[in-house]
Amino acid sequence: MKKSFLYTRTGDEGMTSLVGGTRIPKHAARVCAYGEVDELNAQIGLVQAWCDRTQGAAEDSALLLKVSARLFDVGAHLATPLTPDDEMPGVVTEDNIAMLEHRIDALDSLLPPQRTFILPGGSVAGAHAHVARTVCRRAERAILSFIDLTGERVDSSVLRYINRLSDYLFILARYLNHLSGCPDIPWER
């Protein structure tokens, strides 16, 4: 019988393997950090699928595919223990960050000015982008917690990218609502 690629039974006792083979508990801060990035990537896939269905969002659909690939790289980076002598790998480039910033600026120029806090929601596509934004912030907190708890190094561009990605997801939610004819929902006390 052929051995399954989908299950190895090696994690049944609550341990997992890092890149390089080191075994650690599945609840370790490192695993939590790259697990949050994995969940973020799944949410990005959902938003990307909605962008495919939303007229006028083709550019964002393409950008989200690129984001998904970078998040896979970020997860691999977090799953790879580095020694103090290891050179820091370039996981995310300045161009990756600039791409998000340019799209944020472009979308912001297409939308009415934001005058108040807004509630997450609106269209289904916009609501999914808001969920992805909150998962992105949680992934950011998990990465910072991993750094604080372990003292291990993480490429600084990763934190900048994740922070900028949450900003992009916020403006994307507003843009998807705009394309769908759903105005922002203002927060009222």
Side-chain angles (χ1 to χ4, degrees), residues 3-159:
K3 184 176 177 182
S4 175
F5 175 73
L6 295 177
Y7 63 88
T8 62
R9 297 187 176 120
T10 60
D12 292 352
E13 301 295 320
M15 301 291 283
T16 192
S17 293
L18 300 176
V19 174
T22 302
R23 306 270 308 156
I24 65 171
K26 289 183 177 183
H27 66 275
R30 176 188 298 279
V31 179
C32 291
Y34 69 71
E36 296 291 350
V37 171
D38 186 35
E39 182 180 349
L40 170 60
N41 211 351
Q43 290 291 336
I44 293 294
L46 186 59
V47 176
Q48 188 271 329
W50 275 101
C51 284
D52 274 351
R53 298 175 59 164
T54 304
Q55 187 172 354
E59 187 173 342
D60 294 289
S61 178
L63 177 56
L64 287 169
L65 286 174
K66 292 175 184 174
V67 166
S68 186
R70 291 302 64 74
L71 289 176
F72 201 88
D73 294 337
V74 168
H77 172 59
L78 293 170
T80 306
L82 298 174
T83 68
D85 296 331
D86 286 338
E87 188 174 316
M88 186 63 68
V91 179
V92 176
T93 67
E94 291 301 318
D95 286 345
N96 298 139
I97 295 167
M99 189 181 319
L100 290 175
E101 291 173 346
H102 290 304
R103 191 60 184 155
I104 290 167
D105 293 342
L107 293 180
D108 194 39
S109 72
L110 299 172
L111 297 170
Q114 183 183 341
R115 306 253 186 247
T116 183
F117 290 112
I118 63 170
L119 300 177
S123 67
V124 174
H128 281 298
H130 277 297
V131 171
R133 172 186 56 81
T134 64
V135 173
C136 188
R137 288 293 188 198
R138 184 168 14 112
E140 180 181 30
R141 291 189 302 271
I143 294 167
L144 290 166
S145 180
F146 162 63
I147 294 167
D148 285 348
L149 289 170
T150 66
E152 294 200 39
R153 299 176 303 144
V154 171
D155 183 353
S156 63
S157 66
V158 165
L159 291 170

